[in-house]
Amino acid sequence: MSIKQLAIYIFFIQAYSAKYTPDWKSLDSRPLPQWYDEAKFGIFIHWGVFSVPSFHSEWFWNYWKLQKIPDVVSYMDKNYPPDFTYADFASQFTVEFFNPREWADILQASGARYVVLTSKHCEGFTNWPSKYSFNWNSNATGPNRDLVGEFSSAIREKTNLKLGLYHCLSEWFNPLYLSDKEANFTTNDFVKFKIMPELYELVSKYKPELLWSDLCEKKGPASYWTSREFLTWLYNESPVKETVVTNDRWCDVCLCKHGGYHTCTDRYNPGTLQKHKWENCMTIDQRSWGYRRNANIEDYLSVHEIITTFASTISCGGNMLMNVGPTKDGIIMPIFEERLRQFGSWLKVNEEAVYGTVPWSHQNDSLTKDVWYTMRQTNNEGTVVYAIVLSWPEHSVLKLFEPLATPVTLVTMLGYQGQFIWIPGTEYQGIYIDVPMISWNKLPTQWAWIFKLTFIDN
């Protein structure tokens, strides 16, 4: 039995035999399902009524009515009548061009191994016909469709991606939530009659293998949200109890402490190896998670910037969850599709250095900047280290300080035929790789290159 097979066997023995209790010590002891760590890359999709105004960000309602941000207030004053309400936007959330099978094709091409769709954001609008959201859901107004259901079916039929669902616990303007907040969360009518019934319904109906919880307001203890009781059910009794993965946004003090993997903050990327599995949830549009009609081209990350973020993330043990925001009519705009397909083409060449790898003893090189490492143990090639090189080597020599080569070390580039000549570094520390001039049209990718080093001694 290989090491990987043994790890899977041990996980399932632990998962099947464990019975978790509603306290953090027990819940936090649950092993993280292995598929998540191996996946490395997922796609986040922010989509809802906020996609109709598609101005400023997905927090549009909050910015308009609570924070009263001047440019949002001015936008509404100039373009809508005085009696227009946020709820009036829902009828314009038409999604007439939404083809979940086309979305599935784009997501598959991106190289992602999981996807997280917004089931409900802070506005409270559910993208499925929830019995607990009455007329504020996608089947009662606007699309008149079960968006989560259609998307889930397409992902499972057309791709090998794991299905994840985003669900926000708090709702800015729900009267029950506002009443509980006014009582300093000593009452929990909102949780009892709205949130928990809705959440049990969501998991039971669509069976997501990743549940991405959020709190738009970082308020309310776990005792108010009954988060521990829900997670106990999720891990012990739910239809996805063996494989489901969760994050850490379950109460006001849960971030970076409790739940499944850690997200800590949006766009969390510490740059150093972490003791606990973590995720960098980030956006292609650097200023918003939801689609923005007024975005400028410089607001979007280039594919090289995406790869740079990804390299630093996986080298330090994280996953990257990259967000796109579809339009109100159900289109993933060409600039998002281009970035996804470009990144997918890079991953297709370099997947050996990504999926199923683990952090090495060194995360980046101390001699040459813009070099990040991953590694895997193999039976035939010993310790294999992958050097993700973000900038082409100067003077045709790639100088790496960290790897200690052995006499049988071979150096290759993923996607490129042939081996590279190397010598030990100064005072036999590190390795100097001869990188001859190569025509750009013969390189496997345009943006970053991965050198594979076998039989490394450290």
Side-chain angles (χ1 to χ4, degrees), residues 319-336:
N319 281 17
M320 186 174 82
L321 183 63
M322 184 165 69
N323 180 76
V324 298
T327 65
K328 73 179 184 68
D329 41 20
I331 295 172
I332 295 176
M333 291 297 284
I335 192 164
F336 288 127

Side-chain angles (χ1 to χ4, degrees), residues 320-383:
M320 186 174 82
L321 183 63
M322 184 165 69
N323 180 76
V324 298
T327 65
K328 73 179 184 68
D329 41 20
I331 295 172
I332 295 176
M333 291 297 284
I335 192 164
F336 288 127
E337 180 177 352
E338 180 188 56
R339 294 294 189 272
L340 294 178
R341 291 188 182 277
Q342 286 175 330
F343 187 64
S345 69
W346 182 85
L347 271 177
K348 188 173 183 179
V349 170
N350 296 298
E351 61 180 22
E352 179 186 333
V354 175
Y355 308 121
T357 58
V358 296
W360 189 37
S361 53
H362 304 274
Q363 278 60 68
N364 58 327
D365 199 74
S366 57
L367 176 63
T368 300
K369 68 176 184 178
D370 296 333
V371 176
W372 295 87
Y373 293 111
T374 62
M375 66 88 70
R376 69 170 75 241
Q377 291 288 350
T378 71
N379 293 326
N380 300 324
E381 298 176 306
T383 298

Side-chain angles (χ1 to χ4, degrees), residues 3-13 34 38:
I3 294 176
K4 180 177 179 180
Q5 289 172 326
L6 179 61
I8 295 173
Y9 174 76
I10 292 173
F11 167 76
F12 277 106
I13 290 296
Q34 189 169 353
E38 294 181 346

Side-chain angles (χ1 to χ4, degrees), residues 27-45:
L27 295 169
D28 292 344
S29 71
R30 179 179 183 260
L32 188 73
Q34 189 169 353
W35 73 260
Y36 178 79
D37 181 57
E38 294 181 346
K40 307 301 180 189
F41 174 50
I43 299 295
F44 217 169
I45 301 176

Side-chain angles (χ1 to χ4, degrees), residues 367 399-401 404 423-432:
L367 176 63
K399 298 180 179 181
L400 302 177
F401 185 79
L404 297 181
I423 60 173
T426 304
E427 297 181 358
Y428 297 95
Q429 175 64 51
I431 182 173
Y432 289 3

